[in-house]
Amino acid sequence: MNTLILEIGIAVCLVAAVGLISNKLRVSVIPFFILIGMVLGEHAPDLGIIDLQFKESMPFLDFMGRLGVLFLLFYLGLEFSVGRLIKSGKSIVTGGTIYVCINFITGLLVGWMMGMPFAEIMVICGIMTSSSTVIVAKVLTDLRRTANPETEIIMGMIMFDDLFIAMHISFLSGLVLSGGGSVWSVIGTCLLALGFILLFLVLGRKMVPAIDKLLQVKSSEIFILIIFALLFITAGFSETIHVAEAIGALMAGLVLADSKYIKRIEHMVLPYKDFFGAMFFFSFGLSIDPMSLGGAVMWASIAAALTILGNLASGYFATRISSMKKHAIFDIGFTLSARGEFSIIMANIGKAGGLNPIIQSFVVVYVLILSIVAPLLTKESRNFWKLTFGRNEKDKGKPISFPKRLDDLEKRLD
C-alpha cells in the first residue's frame, strides 16, 4: 500500500500539534519537535494504515531534515554581516571572543573527562559553543527585553558566535569528513574549506550586481526559483569538493546579504526555514533510540551545568568591558546558555563522519536540558540577582544603542 503522502501528512500534523502545545506553554518549541520524533519511529506501535513508524516515508523525512539544515544556515548567512560586527564595537568583539573561548574550553574539558579521541572532542567543543540563535531571539521577544541595554551585547555575542560556527564547521568538515587519516590530509581539507569560503566571498560579492539584475522581476515564482537555484547549486558544489554542504548554504546567504533585495529574500525564505527547520528537529528525533540515552545523561548534565556557569562568566566579563549594570550578568549568561539547532548540526557532522555514537545521545540530552532550562532561567534572571546580591544594590552603567534589526526580528517572530 502506497502511504507515503499520508505518512508525511501525519508527521507534519504531529509537528504542528506539539508546536501549538509549546506556544500555549510559552516555552521553546525545539525540545517538543525532538521529543515527538523520539517517541515515534521504530518504537511506535503499528496501527495499520496510520503508520507511526514512518517506514515508507523515513528516507523522505530524512531528506526534509537535510533541507532544514541548508535553510537554517542559509538564513543565518542572510542575517550575518561582518560590517555589522565591526560597527558593534570593541566591547562586543572582546565579549564574543571571551564567550567562545570559555565555552570551547569547557568542551575540551568535557571531552577529556569522557575519554574521547581528538575528533570527537572537537565535535563536542562545537556542540557546547554553538548558542541557539532561534531560542535566544524568541526568548528576548517573548520577555519583551529587545529594548533592554544588555540586548545589544547579547545579539553581538551571538553574531560573533555565528562567525565561530562558520569557521568550526569548515574545520570539522576537514577533520571528520575528509576521509583521510593523515594530519596533512586533514590540514589540506581544512585549508580547502577556508579557501572556498574566502574565494566565494570575494567572487560572490562581485557577482551581487548581476544577481540583483536577475532578481529584478515582479514574479514571486521566478524570484524564489533564482534564490533556490543559487542555494542548492552552491551547497551541492561545496559537497562535491568535500566541503560540508552547510558551508555552501551559509556562503550563499552571506553573498545575498549584500543584495538590495535582502528584505524580500528574507520574507520569502523565512517560511521555508521555519517549516524545514521543524522537520529537521523531528527527523533528528526519529533517528534517536531513547534507550540509548542512559549512558549520556550524566555527561550531558555536567556539560549543561558547565555551560551555564561558563556563560555567567562570559556575562560577567561582558558587563565589565561595556560598563553595564551588574544585574546584566545573569541576563546575558542565562540567555546565551540556550542550545539548539547548531549543536545538532555539529553532532550530525560527527555522525556523517562515523564518530562515536554517544555524541548523538549526548547532544540530545544536552540540547533538551538547555533548550528548556535556559529560557526558564532567563525569565527569572532578575529574581536570581535579587536573591543572590540583594534588592537594593546600585551600580552604574552606560546606555547602549538599540540594535537596528531587532525590530525586524521581533516582527518576524510575532
Side-chain angles (χ1 to χ4, degrees):
M1 183 181 297
N2 189 351
T3 59
L4 174 62
I5 300 301
L6 178 61
E7 288 182 19
I8 296 297
I10 293 171
V12 175
C13 182
L14 290 170
V15 170
V18 297
L20 288 172
I21 293 172
S22 72
N23 283 338
K24 290 289 185 181
L25 297 176
R26 300 186 68 82
V27 295
S28 170
V29 72
I30 290 176
F32 283 81
F33 291 156
I34 297 174
L35 287 171
I36 189 64
M38 287 173 57
V39 301
L40 299 177
E42 61 182 39
H43 301 286
D46 190 351
L47 303 178
I49 191 173
I50 302 177
D51 184 9
L52 297 180
Q53 297 181 6
F54 302 104
K55 290 188 289 289
E56 186 174 350
S57 60
M58 188 66 76
F60 190 71
L61 290 172
D62 288 340
F63 180 70
M64 292 173 75
R66 190 174 174 183
L67 291 179
V69 174
L70 297 185
F71 279 108
L72 285 168
L73 269 296
F74 179 65
Y75 201 80
L76 173 63
L78 294 176
E79 289 290 293
F80 184 76
S81 168
V82 177
R84 284 174 57 207
L85 182 63
I86 295 173
K87 291 178 182 178
S88 295
K90 180 181 177 182
S91 61
I92 288 177
V93 174
T94 306
T97 302
I98 293 171
Y99 166 80
V100 168
C101 289
I102 289 176
N103 283 279
F104 197 86
I105 290 170
T106 57
L108 289 173
L109 177 61
V110 170
W112 174 76
M113 290 191 300
M114 293 174 68
M116 292 286 105
F118 178 73
E120 279 83 349
I121 290 176
M122 288 298 99
V123 173
I124 290 173
C125 288
I127 290 169
M128 293 185 63
T129 311
S130 306
S131 187
S132 172
T133 305
V134 172
I135 296 177
V136 169
K138 190 73 167 66
V139 168
L140 290 173
T141 53
D142 285 349
L143 297 179
R144 301 186 182 278
R145 294 187 182 180
T146 54
N148 288 5
E150 72 274 3
T151 297
E152 181 170 347
I153 296 295
I154 292 171
M155 296 307 294
M157 291 170 76
I158 285 285
M159 287 172 57
F160 197 91
D161 187 45
D162 292 344
L163 179 62
F164 163 79
I165 291 170
M167 294 298 101
H168 198 63
I169 286 177
S170 67
F171 170 71
L172 289 180
S173 68
L175 179 65
V176 178
L177 304 178
S178 63
S182 70
V183 174
W184 291 111
S185 66
V186 171
I187 293 175
T189 309
C190 290
L191 291 176
L192 177 64
L194 292 174
F196 171 76
I197 292 173
L198 295 174
L199 182 64
F200 197 87
L201 284 177
V202 173
L203 297 180
R205 293 191 175 190
K206 289 184 178 180
M207 294 177 61
V208 169
I211 295 173
D212 281 345
K213 287 184 179 180
L214 288 175
L215 295 176
Q216 197 173 355
V217 292
K218 293 183 179 180
S219 170
S220 297
E221 180 182 17
I222 303 301
F223 187 89
I224 200 67
L225 283 172
I226 295 171
I227 298 301
F228 281 10
L230 177 61
L231 167 60
F232 293 127
I233 288 175
T234 306
F237 175 75
S238 66
E239 188 180 26
T240 62
I241 60 172
H242 305 292
V243 176
E245 60 186 26
I247 286 290
L250 179 67
M251 291 302 101
L254 284 170
V255 169
L256 289 175
D258 289 333
S259 171
K260 64 181 179 181
Y261 297 104
I262 180 62
K263 294 294 182 185
R264 187 181 180 189
I265 295 171
E266 289 180 337
H267 176 73
M268 297 192 72
V269 170
L270 182 62
Y272 295 93
K273 188 266 291 185
D274 289 340
F275 174 74
F276 287 107
M279 299 311 295
F280 162 64
F281 294 114
F282 176 70
S283 64
F284 175 75
L286 285 175
S287 69
I288 300 299
D289 180 2
M291 304 304 293
S292 69
L293 300 182
V297 171
M298 182 185 72
W299 292 116
S301 301
I302 292 172
L306 289 174
T307 296
I308 294 171
L309 293 174
N311 285 337
L312 287 175
S314 301
Y316 169 79
F317 286 112
T319 55
R320 288 292 298 272
I321 293 167
S322 58
S323 300
M324 295 191 64
K325 292 184 176 181
K326 293 180 180 178
H327 66 70
I329 294 173
F330 282 27
D331 295 338
I332 295 171
F334 288 149
T335 304
L336 289 173
S337 296
R339 296 293 185 266
E341 63 277 13
F342 298 119
S343 294
I344 295 175
I345 289 171
M346 296 285 183
N348 281 347
I349 292 176
K351 181 181 179 181
L355 300 188
N356 194 322
I358 196 174
I359 291 178
Q360 295 296 107
S361 301
F362 172 86
V363 78
V364 170
V365 181
Y366 179 72
V367 167
L368 286 177
I369 291 173
L370 289 179
S371 61
I372 295 172
V373 172
L376 295 176
L377 291 175
T378 304
K379 184 178 180 181
E380 301 298 330
S381 60
R382 302 296 170 82
N383 291 329
F384 276 107
W385 173 262
K386 291 175 182 178
L387 288 172
T388 307
F389 296 101
R391 296 175 178 271
N392 299 318
E393 180 168 345
K394 296 181 180 180
D395 45 37
K396 296 180 180 180
K398 296 179 181 179
I400 297 178
S401 60
F402 177 70
K404 295 179 181 179
R405 298 186 73 180
L406 275 176
D407 283 330
D408 297 333
L409 183 61
E410 185 170 2
K411 289 177 182 177
R412 289 198 299 269
L413 290 172
D414 284 341

